[in-house]
Amino acid sequence: MNNLKFALLTDGSSDQVLLRHLEWVVRRHVSPTTTIQSEWADLRTFHPKPVGLSERIQRASEFYPSDLLFVHRDAEKQDPQHRYNEIESAIAFLSSGVTPAVAVVPVRMQETWLLFDEFAIRKAAGNPNGKQDLGLPLVGKLENVAEPKAMLLQTLRTASGLGGRRLKRFRGRKAARLVAEYIEDFSPLLELDAFRKLDLD
């Protein structure tokens, strides 16, 4: 049985939800008998903290040894190509021995890649059988959403079906972290250029 291990270096701790997306992508390209292991490269406790993307990639390679390192940077309001160039330059700056790396650059932010699966959103909101209209954008329009994080949180609130005090107590950020766990099929995202760049062919 083959084994493949990858690590994910992210902008922030909430972005580790991308591990689910990447596991799905990697699974498409390996034998069904391959065991996949994934790990979030958590650099928050490092002292001194790594400064700059090159140093962060170097530390992730050293302390989270793997076959492949995914390097995440949100495009936010910039041209995504700027982020690809940034990651490529950071890797080129390093000496040999760095884990082979793949750039992960969602247009705007990672929440963009969560706004397509209605059932996963309803389940994360604790109301899987809800019938509320969530108003999710078409997949091809996801990258046009100006504030995907705000949209995801509001969509989860709507999907919860709660009102009044119960809605005020609803933990939207916790629910947002669960959405990716309930997505079984990420193939709709292949409609987006940024996600297709991860398809490793």
Side-chain angles (χ1 to χ4, degrees):
M1 183 177 292
N2 297 324
N3 296 289
L4 186 147
K5 182 176 182 180
F6 73 83
L8 170 64
L9 176 64
T10 63
D11 278 344
S13 59
S14 65
D15 300 311
Q16 62 185 292
V17 299
L18 290 168
L19 283 169
R20 283 280 294 152
H21 300 70
L22 299 175
E23 287 165 2
W24 182 87
V25 169
V26 171
R27 174 56 63 193
R28 282 166 51 85
H29 297 276
V30 298
S31 163
T33 60
T34 298
T35 299
I36 298 174
Q37 294 177 284
S38 63
E39 188 171 20
W40 177 49
D42 184 1
L43 306 183
R44 294 175 300 174
T45 60
F46 281 43
H47 296 288
K49 287 189 176 182
V51 178
L53 187 56
S54 289
E55 188 175 351
R56 293 176 65 232
I57 292 172
Q58 183 76 57
R59 294 293 176 266
S61 293
E62 292 173 358
F63 290 93
Y64 295 89
S66 59
D67 302 300
L68 190 62
L69 176 66
F70 287 97
V71 181
H72 160 254
R73 296 285 282 135
D74 281 332
E76 296 178 344
K77 296 180 181 180
Q78 300 188 50
D79 180 347
Q81 189 58 48
H82 175 77
R83 293 301 196 193
Y84 288 112
N85 294 343
E86 180 183 14
I87 293 169
E88 184 178 343
S89 296
I91 294 169
F93 178 79
L94 297 171
S95 60
S96 60
V98 176
T99 304
V102 175
V104 182
V105 185
V107 171
R108 298 198 186 276
M109 54 189 65
Q110 56 90 358
E111 286 83 1
T112 302
W113 290 354
L114 297 174
L115 284 166
F116 74 96
D117 192 312
E118 181 176 328
F119 178 71
I121 290 172
R122 292 188 189 280
K123 193 169 182 181
N127 188 21
N129 298 317
K131 302 299 182 183
Q132 300 84 358
D133 181 8
L134 302 185
L136 294 177
L138 297 173
V139 173
K141 303 292 185 182
L142 284 175
E143 293 176 345
N144 296 331
V145 176
E147 297 292 341
K149 182 179 293 186
M151 174 177 277
L152 179 61
L153 290 173
Q154 182 54 53
T155 301
L156 285 162
R157 287 166 60 85
T158 300
S160 74
L162 300 174
R165 292 181 180 178
R166 294 179 68 193
L167 181 58
K168 288 182 179 180
R169 293 196 297 269
F170 179 69
R171 300 178 65 183
R173 294 186 183 278
K174 180 179 180 180
R177 290 194 293 270
L178 293 175
V179 175
E181 296 298 318
Y182 296 129
I183 298 175
E184 298 295 332
D185 182 10
F186 291 88
S187 61
L189 293 178
L190 291 170
E191 190 173 335
L192 304 178
D193 288 342
F195 194 77
R196 281 201 304 275
K197 284 180 179 288
L198 291 176
D199 208 21
L200 303 180
D201 277 334

